[in-house]
Amino acid sequence: MNFTSNALICAVAGFLLVDLVEGTAQGALKLDNYTFDKVVSTPHHSLLVKFDTSYAYGDKEDEFKKLCPLAYTVPKFFIAEVPVQEYGDKDNDDLRERFGLKKDDFPVYFLFNQANSKGLKYTGQIKADDIASWLRRNQIRMPSIGTIAELDEIAKKFLKDLGDDHVKDAKLLVGGQYSSDKKAGLYVKIMQKIKEKGEGYVEDELKRVGKIMSGNLTPEKKAELSDKLRILGVFTNKDEL
């Protein structure tokens, strides 16, 4: 990478860190019609941009707030938002027009990177897990929310014969594609415990974790145990799987 590219990335990174304070969602960058093109064209980086009304609220904004912190662990990837004013100065309304958007469409998400310089529009449901899955399908190693679909499939196969090959396949995913997702390692640990203690381990562990969850926990510990409960649930009934 030449000096000019390095200087541009450093300048953009500085802008992003300062502007982060003004974002309406923690972990999101706030863009406007002055900064939009500079940031989305940053070399070797990807950006998910949400176009929405100023001071957005409601269920869809809550999903955005779930999604944003997950980007922290993904190299060279940021999530941003463009707040569009409907009245007054109509800030960023020119960007809305540029992308052919209507207020009734909001929120609208676009992925920008070298492969999608004009922006790839997301057309699915406004659910954090669905958007994260879509990003992964577009080569962004976004952590999943709840459980991990690929590892869920391996869990299904594992429960049929408790084979070591499935544990090996899970380890490959955990060490590779999902190395930045803390939940991923739980799959391997649960598989190993099932092999050691039998399938009754899952039911016993669900009861044990459930009791701990009823106590006074920090938000971080509660979130960690909630992840474990969800993933244990994948292993509860092999007939359903």
Side-chain angles (χ1 to χ4, degrees), residues 25 50 52 56-69 109 126-128 145:
K50 175 179 76 89
D52 206 347
Y57 63 93
D59 291 343
K60 291 181 179 180
E61 181 65 10
D62 290 343
E63 293 296 320
F64 180 60
K65 290 177 180 178
K66 289 179 188 176
L67 188 69
C68 291
Y109 290 82
I126 305 301
K127 296 290 184 182
I145 301 168

Side-chain angles (χ1 to χ4, degrees), residues 137-158:
R137 292 196 298 273
N138 284 282
Q139 313 307 313
I140 306 298
R141 294 188 174 183
M142 193 73 170
S144 62
I145 301 168
T147 64
I148 300 171
E150 292 89 340
L151 286 167
D152 289 350
E153 289 300 315
I154 293 175
K156 294 177 186 179
K157 296 174 183 177
F158 171 79

Side-chain angles (χ1 to χ4, degrees), residues 148-162 166-167 169-170 173 187-188 190-191 194 231-238 241:
I148 300 171
E150 292 89 340
L151 286 167
D152 289 350
E153 289 300 315
I154 293 175
K156 294 177 186 179
K157 296 174 183 177
F158 171 79
L159 288 175
K160 292 178 180 179
D161 58 17
L162 306 187
H166 306 310
V167 180
D169 290 342
L173 280 178
Y187 285 84
V188 174
I190 292 169
M191 288 179 184
I194 290 173
I231 293 170
L232 281 167
V234 175
F235 292 85
T236 54
N237 193 327
K238 63 181 180 181
L241 290 169

Side-chain angles (χ1 to χ4, degrees), residues 18-35:
V18 171
D19 201 56
L20 177 59
V21 177
E22 299 182 5
T24 59
Q26 193 170 24
L29 313 173
K30 184 180 178 183
L31 304 181
D32 56 35
N33 51 7
Y34 289 99
T35 58

